[in-house]
Amino acid sequence: SYELTQPPSVSVSPGQTASITCSGDKVGDKYASWYQQKPGQSPVLVLYQDAKRPSGIPERISGSNSGNTATLTISGTQAMDEADYYCQAWDSSTAVVFGGGTKLTVL
Amino acid sequence: QVQLQESGPGLVKPSGTLSLTCAVSGGSISSTHWWSWVRQPPGKGLEWIGEIYHSGSTNYNPSLKSRVTISVDRSKNQFSLKLSSVTAADTAVYYCARGTYESSGSYYGIYFDYWGQGTLVTVFS
């Protein structure tokens, strides 16, 4: 079955750049999506088709996907960005798959 | 604005069947979207359960396939989940979500742009 692997946690200082990786076999050949989830809330789509932002998502959130790694990048990180982030892709063997999630802490 | 609302019992006995419904408003369930169930055990990550199209076509997570049934009621603009033979491991917040498939050349994927608020189901005797 297909798997996506994320680091359990990432820390960043306010105003700095945070990068969260999502590793999977040839994930660069698939479209990756990313979700932000704050405590007690439902997930929110922040990136789709690797790097496209839905309406209302700030431009400081960006994405890339190549080879075996998809990356979500937050520039000028703010306290409001502190949340869990999940990557997600589709594979013919398992259909929809989510990464294990990364807790972003803004110190 | 599309809205999804889960409903169903919050407690289910072990070996019983979990049943949830997701009501869709602000849009038609007969649109060109797929409708999914996703769950999240307390303190853990997201797990996709399965999806349905308005035609009744379904796809399920292979790890849950033997216990899952997803159905659609176009007249009520809603879809439902049944998970049988539940155990404590099935205790989770269950979300319904709208999925959009995308493709370009050899690239293929799906993203979930609308989610329900989630409902906690506890398997408890």
Side-chain angles (χ1 to χ4, degrees):
Chain A
S1 62
Y2 192 77
E3 295 183 356
L4 294 172
T5 301
Q6 300 180 234
S9 63
V10 168
S11 297
V12 63
S13 299
Q16 298 304 301
T17 297
S19 294
I20 299 173
T21 58
C22 173
S23 300
D25 184 44
K26 299 179 181 179
V27 69
D29 291 344
K30 311 174 187 300
Y31 280 139
S33 302
W34 290 88
Y35 303 86
Q36 177 193 72
Q37 186 180 36
K38 297 183 178 180
Q41 298 184 17
S42 303
V44 173
L45 178 70
V46 294
L47 291 173
Y48 66 101
Q49 225 169 83
D50 300 336
K52 293 185 176 181
R53 287 183 304 275
S55 175
I57 302 302
E59 291 184 6
R60 54 198 179 76
I61 292 179
S62 62
S64 63
N65 187 11
S66 180
N68 294 322
T69 305
T71 303
L72 178 149
T73 301
I74 306 175
S75 304
T77 306
Q78 302 178 8
M80 65 183 295
D81 298 321
E82 188 164 284
D84 293 328
Y85 291 84
Y86 295 89
C87 62
Q88 172 256 309
W90 185 93
D91 181 77
S92 59
S93 64
T94 52
V96 177
V97 60
F98 286 96
T102 298
K103 181 177 180 61
L104 177 66
T105 301
V106 182
L107 299 171
Chain B
Q1 179 80 340
V2 174
Q3 292 185 318
L4 294 84
Q5 177 74 55
E6 306 90 348
S7 61
L11 288 175
V12 182
K13 292 186 177 181
S15 76
T17 297
L18 178 159
S19 297
L20 296 173
T21 296
C22 179
V24 179
S25 60
S28 173
I29 204 166
S30 296
S31 60
T32 57
H33 298 282
W34 286 71
W35 305 90
S36 276
W37 289 98
V38 177
R39 70 179 183 178
Q40 184 172 38
K44 296 187 178 181
L46 302 171
E47 180 182 32
W48 181 75
I49 299 170
E51 64 182 357
I52 192 165
Y53 197 61
H54 62 78
S55 63
S57 295
T58 55
N59 295 298
Y60 298 130
N61 185 326
S63 68
L64 298 169
K65 187 174 184 177
S66 63
R67 299 193 292 130
V68 174
T69 301
I70 297 177
S71 59
V72 65
D73 187 334
R74 293 190 301 273
S75 67
K76 294 183 178 180
N77 219 40
Q78 64 185 34
F79 62 107
S80 299
L81 168 69
K82 290 188 184 298
L83 181 65
S84 63
S85 304
V86 298
T87 69
D90 295 309
T91 293
V93 174
Y94 285 76
Y95 296 98
C96 55
R98 188 182 83 167
T100 299
Y101 275 95
E102 49 188 350
S103 65
S104 177
S106 62
Y107 292 88
Y108 193 76
I110 180 174
Y111 59 87
F112 302 103
D113 51 359
Y114 290 97
W115 295 69
Q117 88 285 355
T119 186
L120 175 62
V121 178
T122 302
V123 179
F124 177 63
S125 58

